[in-house]
Amino acid sequence: MGDLPERVDEILRRLESAGYEAWCVGGAVRDRLLGRTPGDWDVTTNAPPDKVLQLFAPHAAPTGLQHGTVTVFGGNGVEVTTYRRDGTYSDSRHPDRVEFTGSLEEDLSRRDFTVNAIALNRRLELRDPFHGREDLEKQVLRAVGEPERRFREDALRILRGLRFASKLGFAIEPDTGSALRRCAPLLEKIAVERIQVELSGLLCGDGAAAVLLAYPDVLGVFLPEILPCVGFDQHSPYHCYDVWEHTARSAAAVRPTPVLRYTMLLHDLGKPASFLLGEDGRGHFYGHWRKSVELGDRILRRLRVDNHSRKQILTLVERHDCDLAMNPRSVRRNLARYGEETVRLLLEVKRADNLAQAAAYRDRQGLLDEWEALLDQVLAEGSCFSLKQLAVKGGDLSGLGLRGPAIGGALQTLLEQVIDNKLPNERAVLLDYVKENLL
């Protein structure tokens, strides 16, 4: 498995030299066993918190003493937590009290899933009382001990379980999955900020589609807007999946960034409310994007997604079904309205949307390739599509006598003329146009 990071090994060495036990635990151990690069490292020990502070002073901070946690080695530090047992969880999130214990196994027994309840010491020896390594090999996510108790103690573990299943590509063990569903209403007690973090991680996992398809009822506790999509037949030759399966498959088909994955989650939410069955038996969803934008805005605000991301996601939802005319003017107009970044994201959205449709209609990928090549050409040519590229500025127009809002209006008119290829982006020509038409 290779050596431990130097700072982690130093923490374990110093604790052991002082006569204490010390083990790495949690996600770093799990990822190391899976051959992945661990992120944050956590250490557990039978040393009391005050002793940890003394051992590592002045490079230790009491970041969670009520839970026995000390952070060692600063900003990119390692959390060192004393072995503990938790009391009752009256709020379904935090233990009412914590007691320190001398038993590593007792500390591991309070953790969420067996794959996160494996301990590793500096000699690379494992302590695995709940057979987490076996579950890693089987690619199974199983709760430690009684599943329902684990989820009732801390309801956030419900979403953590779905996130881990998506991130790791693991199946959720049946008893754990059943308990997860029974306890799902407890998610209403969890802060939306925490839900957003876990949902974003779930959506960006390699196994996102499988989790979305298996657990819409759980997600529906805090995303009730998705439930009408589940099993909703589209009655369309373009679609071989119902609305929810199309949503899940399109989410998995796009690059795993929060903006793109949230866009695919939301892009067709308006379909059930927009459905019309034609006389030919085909389903139609005229203007469904409007309802999707409305529902998406409600969800993103409720989850407290930052304003920049929210606006970008909603723009992509609004435009996901738009036609892209195959000419430079269309490219320039899209660039002028949305900017290069959003236009390129839109192409990714449209590709993913198409890949989740019926196989016979996935030839639209070729058309998107052509439009992207045209985009590259327009950009390479240095075509004007923004006011900052325009050959005249506000000062030029004020020199002609325009004032206030009239300057902005004139600049916008000039930009539209250039984008439509009616005028060249040349200062003299543009000023002549203003003199002849806008004064």
Side-chain angles (χ1 to χ4, degrees):
M1 289 188 290
D3 296 333
L4 294 173
E6 183 177 350
R7 72 187 193 284
V8 176
D9 185 70
E10 171 61 18
I11 291 170
L12 299 178
R13 185 198 64 77
R14 199 179 300 186
L15 285 165
E16 288 186 353
S17 296
Y20 297 106
E21 297 177 9
W23 299 79
C24 298
V25 290
V29 177
R30 178 199 68 224
D31 289 346
R32 183 184 178 88
L33 291 171
L34 287 171
R36 301 182 177 208
T37 302
D40 296 332
W41 286 83
D42 296 302
V43 168
T44 190
T45 178
N46 60 346
D50 59 329
K51 294 297 184 183
V52 176
L53 284 170
Q54 290 175 18
L55 278 172
F56 294 97
H59 304 296
T63 50
L65 278 186
Q66 71 275 25
H67 297 122
T69 300
V70 173
T71 298
V72 179
F73 295 152
N76 190 28
V78 175
E79 288 192 348
V80 179
T81 304
T82 303
Y83 297 164
R84 74 187 209 197
R85 66 171 71 93
D86 297 337
T88 57
Y89 288 71
S90 58
D91 67 351
S92 297
R93 180 69 184 97
H94 305 97
D96 298 323
R97 61 185 176 82
V98 167
E99 295 180 0
F100 299 135
T101 174
S103 167
L104 172 63
E105 183 166 336
E106 190 169 16
D107 182 85
L108 294 176
S109 71
R110 67 178 179 80
R111 296 175 183 271
D112 50 11
F113 302 100
T114 62
V115 297
N116 296 330
I118 308 170
L120 175 74
N121 66 17
R122 67 186 301 258
R123 290 166 294 283
L124 306 184
E125 298 166 339
L126 292 175
R127 188 73 66 80
D128 183 18
F130 303 103
H131 310 291
R133 191 168 193 180
E134 182 180 337
D135 285 338
L136 284 177
E137 292 171 356
K138 293 179 179 178
Q139 298 189 333
V140 168
L141 199 65
R142 184 190 315 271
V144 172
E146 183 185 349
E148 188 160 336
R149 178 182 177 183
R150 291 284 85 82
F151 295 133
R152 291 197 177 279
E153 286 173 342
D154 181 357
L156 188 62
R157 288 170 174 164
I158 297 166
L159 270 186
R160 281 170 58 83
L162 298 186
R163 173 170 64 84
F164 287 138
S166 176
K167 174 185 174 181
L168 302 173
F170 283 14
I172 297 178
E173 182 268 332
D175 288 344
T176 300
S178 297
L180 188 149
R181 284 194 165 90
R182 289 195 301 274
C183 296
L186 294 173
L187 288 170
E188 294 177 352
K189 297 184 177 184
I190 301 299
V192 292
E193 293 87 353
R194 298 301 311 218
I195 286 177
Q196 186 217 120
V197 169
E198 297 298 332
L199 178 61
S200 297
L202 184 169
L203 289 174
C204 291
D206 290 343
V211 173
L212 291 174
L213 288 173
Y215 294 96
D217 50 337
V218 175
L219 300 174
V221 172
F222 57 90
L223 295 177
E225 295 87 351
I226 71 173
L227 296 178
C229 299
V230 179
F232 196 98
D233 190 336
Q234 303 199 60
H235 295 279
S236 169
Y238 298 106
H239 288 282
C240 53
Y241 309 116
D242 65 48
V243 175
W244 183 242
E245 185 164 358
H246 166 77
T247 295
R249 289 177 177 272
S250 67
V254 80
R255 191 161 47 93
T257 69
V259 164
L260 289 171
R261 291 285 171 106
Y262 272 104
T263 296
M264 303 322 297
L265 177 71
L266 304 175
H267 79 286
D268 274 353
L269 287 190
K271 277 192 168 181
S274 308
F275 177 70
L276 289 174
L277 188 63
E279 293 182 1
D280 57 358
R282 287 191 178 188
H284 301 280
F285 303 93
Y286 300 117
H288 73 277
W289 58 266
R290 293 188 185 89
K291 189 65 176 177
S292 296
V293 167
E294 176 189 330
L295 295 173
D297 189 41
R298 182 192 307 171
I299 288 171
L300 296 173
R301 288 180 185 275
R302 188 167 69 238
L303 293 176
R304 298 182 186 172
V305 171
D306 68 274
N307 285 334
H308 175 74
S309 296
R310 177 177 59 83
K311 291 174 182 177
Q312 194 166 44
I313 292 165
L314 294 177
T315 295
L316 295 171
V317 170
E318 178 184 345
R319 296 293 291 166
H320 80 272
D321 202 33
C322 71
D323 290 326
L324 296 174
M326 197 66 66
N327 58 67
R329 176 176 177 271
S330 169
V331 172
R332 291 193 296 268
R333 282 202 164 275
N334 276 280
L335 286 169
R337 186 170 180 182
Y338 304 110
E340 181 184 355
E341 179 189 5
T342 298
V343 169
R344 290 199 182 276
L345 291 176
L346 179 61
L347 287 173
E348 293 189 66
V349 166
K350 294 179 80 66
R351 288 186 189 281
D353 192 19
N354 181 234
L355 287 171
Q357 294 175 345
Y361 296 94
R362 293 177 195 166
D363 56 353
R364 295 180 189 177
Q365 299 296 310
L367 295 175
L368 292 170
D369 288 343
E370 291 180 34
W371 204 91
E372 187 167 21
L374 196 56
L375 168 65
D376 292 337
Q377 178 184 327
V378 166
L379 290 169
E381 291 171 350
S383 298
C384 175
F385 57 84
S386 68
L387 290 175
K388 69 179 181 180
Q389 296 171 302
L390 204 59
V392 297
K393 308 300 178 187
D396 298 316
L397 301 188
S398 64
L400 296 179
L402 291 176
R403 296 290 182 269
I407 293 177
L411 288 172
Q412 190 60 44
T413 297
L414 292 175
L415 179 61
E416 290 173 2
Q417 293 290 315
V418 172
I419 287 173
D420 290 344
N421 216 26
K422 295 178 180 178
L423 291 175
N425 188 28
E426 299 174 3
R427 185 173 183 274
V429 174
L430 298 179
L431 290 177
D432 285 343
Y433 181 87
V434 173
K435 294 173 186 175
E436 294 172 9
N437 298 278
L438 301 179
L439 291 180

